[in-house]
Amino acid sequence: MTELTLVQAVNRGLFEAMRQDPDVLLLGEDIGLNGGVFRATEGLQKEFGAERVIDTPLSECGIVGTAIGMALYGLKPIAEIQFMDFIYPAFDQIVSELAKFRYRSGGQYPCHVVIRTPYGGGIRGGLYHSQSTEAFFCHTAGLKVVVPSTPADAKGLLLTAVHDEDPVIFLEPKRIYRSVSGEVPEGDHRVPFGVARTAREGSDVSILAWGAMVPTSLEAAAKLADEGISAEVIDLRTLVPLDEAAVLASVEKTGRAVIVHEAARNAGFGAELAARIAEKALYSLRAPIARVTGYDTPFPYALEHLYLPTPERIESAAREAVRAG
Amino acid sequence: MAGSETPRPETSVGRRTVPLSATVEDARRLFGSDWATVVARAFRWMVFARSFDARMQGLQRQGRIGFYGAATGQEAVNVAVGLLSRPEDWIAPGLREQLVALVRGHPVSSYVDHLFANARDPALGRNMPCHPTARDVHYLSMSSVIGTQITHAVGLGYALRLRRDPGVVFAFFGDGATSANDFHAGLNFAGVWGVPVVFCLTNNQWAISQPVERQSATATLAEKAAAYGIAGRRVDGTDFFAVAEALRAAIGLAREQKLPSLLEFVVYRMTPHSTSDDPTRYQPPEFLAAAAAHDPLERLGDWMRANGLAKAAEVETVRADCDSEIRRAIESAEAVPPPDPESLFRDVRSPLPKERSRSQEVS
Amino acid sequence: MVAGSHPKDIWATATRADGMTSARVRPATVERGARAPAGVPDARRVEAYRWMVLARLVDERCLTLQRQGRIGFYVPLEGQEAAQIGCALALEAADWIFPAYRELGLALVRGVPLETLFDQFIGNSGDVLKGRQMPNHYGYRDRNFVVASSPVGTQITQAVGAGLAARRRGDAIATIAFFGDGTTSSNDFHAGLNFAGVFRAPTIFFCQNNQWAISLPRAQQTHSATLAEKARAYGFEGVVVDGMAIDEVYRAVRQARERAVAGDGPTLIEAQVYRFGPHSTSDDPKRYRPAGELEKWKQHDPVAGFRDELIREGRLTVQDDEKLWEAARAEVASAWKTAESKPPVDPLSFLDDVFAQPTRELEDDRRRLAALLAQREGKP
Ligand SMILES: Cc1ncc(C[n+]2csc(CCOP(=O)(O)OP(=O)(O)O)c2C)c(N)n1
Ligand SMILES: Cc1ncc(C[n+]2csc(CCOP(=O)(O)OP(=O)(O)O)c2C)c(N)n1
Ligand SMILES: [Mg+2]
C-alpha cells in the first residue's frame, strides 16, 4: 500500500499495465515528453519508449480511429483524450465503430480500446474544460463506462479496463485528481466492473453518485449526520455495467433516493437510475426520487460554483426526502 | 516508383473499348513466367463479379435480398488487389470490395449467406447486404459510415510494424470519402508514423449524385498525398495491367520500407450507386458511353484475344461456370432460416452484463 | 476538377499528378516587386508598433495577474505580435474574424477596449460574455469578431460558411479563420479548406505556425514540407510568410483579401512565428522545448525588430519609444484597475441565453436558485 493522489494512481495503473503486457500502448496528445497536461502519463515514455507511448498529431478522430485499428490486430491501446470536451471529433469513431465492431462482425472482431479522459467541472475550465457527458456513452450499446472516485479504484478499475475485452470509456474526475488521496495497493490490483461501493452506510436516505460527486456526497452525509439523518452513499463506480442490485438494495432499505450528478439534468444518467428504481423498487419508496444535478445550461466559467451540485444542495434534497415520509 | 507515364486513354470514337497498352513482355514482367494463368484467373474473377452483380441486383428487385451495391466497372482493382496481396495482408474495405475477399479465398457461399442475412452469415444477419465480415481472409468488418476504415487501416499498419509482422494493409475508399474526417486524420497519421498501408482510392467519379468535380477543387485526388508528405499516383483503374503495376510499386514501398502511399484508381461506376438509387436524375448519358469504352472486363478480354489467350477469354464458357457456382450458393443460402432471435443479444459485449440477467428475471 | 467540367473530361487534367507525385513541393511565397502591395502604409507604421507594444504589455501583465490568482488563466501571444498586428491592419473593419484563443492582437486593432478585454478575463459584471467563458475566449459582435471556443479548428468551417453567406448577400468582404500549426490536423481544417476550394469561398485561412502545439513540435504534426502546401490538396494556393516581419504579413494578407473580395477564392497563409511563452498559464515549456531554441528565435523578436526598423526609417526616436512604452504601460494599468473594481457578474445570469426564450424548466431553476441564494444570505 502507498498513499497516492488519484492522478498518481492512474499513473501507477498505466505503469503496471504496460509492464504486464507488451501489447499495451498509449496514444494521445502531449502524453509523451510532456507527461500529459495533467501529468497522468508522467515518466511512461521514458520507461517504455516513443513507440509505445505515442504523441499523436492533434486529431481525436485519428487517435481513436487508429487505436481501433491497433485493437483489431490484437494490441491493447489506451487512448487519451486530453479533455472529455474534446472527444467529439472522435464521436463518430466511438459510436459508429468502437461500440459496434464486435456486434456487427458476429463476434469476429472484438475491439478492445480503453479511452481515458479527464472529465467534469470545478477547475475553472469554462464551457469546454468542464463537461460531464457520460450519458452519451451510456446510451450507446457496446461501451462500458467507468468512473472511479478514489485512488485505489482509479488504479483497480483501470487495470480491469485494460484486461477487459470490451471498449471502455474511462472517465477521470479531474477536479479530485489531486485533492483526494488514499491508500493504493501495489501490483496487479483490480476492481471488478459492475460492483458498486458503499462509501458510507446509512439507513434514512440513499445518495447515489459517481466520480467527483462521491466526495461531495460524503461531505453532505457527514453534515446530515449532525442533524440526525443517516445517509447511505453509494459510489456506482461503473455506470455500464450497472450494479443495479446494489442500488435497489440500498433504496429498499432506506426508502429514499437522492441521485447526484454534475451533468445536466435533462436525460442525464440520473434519469436512468430513477427509472430503474421506479420500475423495480417503487413500493419501497417513502418519498419521491430526487435529483441534484448540473443545470440544463452550458457549463459556465465564473459561476461554476453555482452550476455544480454542492453539499448544501444535496443536504437540502435529502432533508426534503426525509421530511416527505 | 516506376511507371511515371501519365495514363491517358484514347477516345473511344469508332472503337468499343480503349485498348490496353501492356505488351506480353509487360505481363511477364508483372506476373512471371506463369503470366497467362494469372491473367486467365483475373479474367475469370471479373466475369464472375459481373455475373454476380447482375444476379444480385435481380434478386433485390425480386425482393429476395434487401439491398445490393454493385462494383461493376471497378473489377480490375478488386481482382488485382485480391491476386497481388498475400495471406498475411489485411483489407480495410469500403462499400465495394467484397470481391477482394472472395479472390483471397473467402467462400462465395458464405458471402451469399451474408447477402441473405441468414443463420449461416458469420455476422448473424446484423448488417445490410454488402457489408460482410471475413476474418478468415483478414477482411475487416465495415460500417456504412464513409471513411472510418481509413484510420483503422493506419492503426493496423502501426500494429504490424510494432510487432515486426510482414503484412501490408489495403485501405479502400471512394472519391467521396476524400472529404471525410478520417481521410485527413488517416493520411496525416500515416505520413507522420510511416506505416505499411496502401490507400486504394477508387475514384468512380461519383459519390451517389455528386460528381467528383464537386468533391474537390483539385485536378486529381492523388495530389492530396503531398499534403501528408506521402507518395501519390493516379492510375487508370480499368486497365488491369496498369493497376497491377501501380500496386506492385505501392506494395513494395509498404513491405520493404514500411511507407504508405495513395493510389487513385480512376474507374467508371457503371451501375447505380446502389439498388436504392436512380442515376438518370443526375448522370448525363454520355457518362455511360465513356464508361463502356473503359469497361475493365472488355478491355482485358480484348487484350487476351489479341495476345494469344483467346480460349481463356471466351466469356460464355467462363460465365456458365461462374453462374452455376452462384446458383448453387443462392439455392443453399435461401434454404437457411434467419438467425436465431436469441442472437440479437449476443456480441454486444463480451460477458453478458449483470443487469441483463436480472432484468430478464424480473420481466 | 473545377466545378462545372464534365466527368468524362476526367483525363483532361490528369497531367498534374503524373506518376507518384513528389511529396515535397515548395509553395509559392509572397509576391514581391512593383505589382505587389507595399507593407504597412507609412501613416500606420508607428500605430502598428504601438499595438505590438500594447499586446506585449498585456501579456506581461496578465501572466503576473494569473500567478497572483487575480485571473484564472491566460494564453500569451508573445512572439506572434507582428503576425497578428500585420494581419489585423491588412483587413478591413467589415471583414469577419473567426479567432482561436490567442488572437489578442486582432482584438486590439479591431478596437476592443483593454478594459473590455480585462472584464472578460475576470468574468465580471462588465463582461459582454457574462463570465461564461475562460479568459481569452471572447467575441464582440460589433467588431465583427466572432466568439472563440476551445475545441480547436471549429471556427474554420464556420468562417467558410460566413464567407459564402456574405457573397450571397453581395457583401464585398472576406472572412478569416485563425488557427495554429496543430490545428491543421483537425477535422474542420480538412472540411473547411475543402469546402472553400469547391465553393471558392472568400475566406483567408491564417495559420500561425508557432512551431508547437502544446508539446508537439511542428515536425511531428505532419509529414508535409510546409503547412502552406496543404492548400494544394484543396485546389488553391498557400503561401509561407515570415511571421516575424510585419510587412511581409501585411502584404500576404492584403493580397489574399484582394483575391477573396474579387471572387478569386481562398488562400492559406502560413505565418512562421515562434511562441516565446508557455502554451498557456497551465503549461511548462521547459519540459519539452530543446535548449537554445527559444534564444535563437528571440533574435528575431518582432517587436524589437520593428522598433529598430522604425528608428532606421526615422519615424521613431529612442525617446519616443520610451514614452510610448510608458504610456502603454499606464493604459494597461488604468484599464486593469477599472476592470478589477467592477462587481461580479449577476449570479443568476448563467441561466440566460440557453435559448432565445427560457424554457419553463429554466425559469423554475432560476426561482429555486434565487431562493437558495437568498437563504444563504440569511434573507427569508
Ligand atoms: C458519413 C456518411 N455520410 C453519408 C453517407 C451516405 N452515403 C453512402 S455512400 C455515399 C457516397 C460515397 O461516395 P464515394 O466515397 O465516392 O464511394 P462510392 O459509393 O462512389 O464507391 C454517401 C454519401 C454515409 N454512408 N456516411
Ligand atoms: C479538439 C481539441 N483537442 C485538444 C485540445 C487541447 N489543446 C488546446 S490548444 C492545443 C494545441 C493547439 O496547437 P496549435 O493549433 O498549434 O495552436 P497554438 O496553441 O500553438 O496557437 C491543444 C492540443 C483542444 N483545445 N481541442
Ligand atoms: Mg502552434
Side-chain angles (χ1 to χ4, degrees), chain C residues 80 101-102 180-183 208-214 275:
Chain C
Q80 307 184 199
Y101 38 72
R102 209 183 286 284
D181 44 308
T183 304
Q208 289 170 80
N209 171 6
N210 64 8
Q211 316 300 331
W212 293 92
I214 310 186
R275 191 188 80 214

Side-chain angles (χ1 to χ4, degrees), chain C residues 182-206:
Chain C
T183 304
T184 60
S185 297
S186 71
N187 293 346
D188 284 279
F189 173 85
H190 185 55
L193 272 74
N194 193 39
F195 276 44
V198 169
F199 299 119
R200 294 180 78 76
T203 303
I204 304 167
F205 301 100
F206 193 78

Side-chain angles (χ1 to χ4, degrees), chain C residues 348-367:
Chain C
L348 297 179
S349 66
F350 80 90
L351 295 163
D352 299 338
D353 303 319
V354 180
F355 300 106
Q357 300 299 326
T359 59
R360 237 200 40 232
E361 289 89 340
L362 280 166
E363 281 178 339
D364 288 346
D365 283 337
R366 175 181 265 277
R367 257 191 307 280

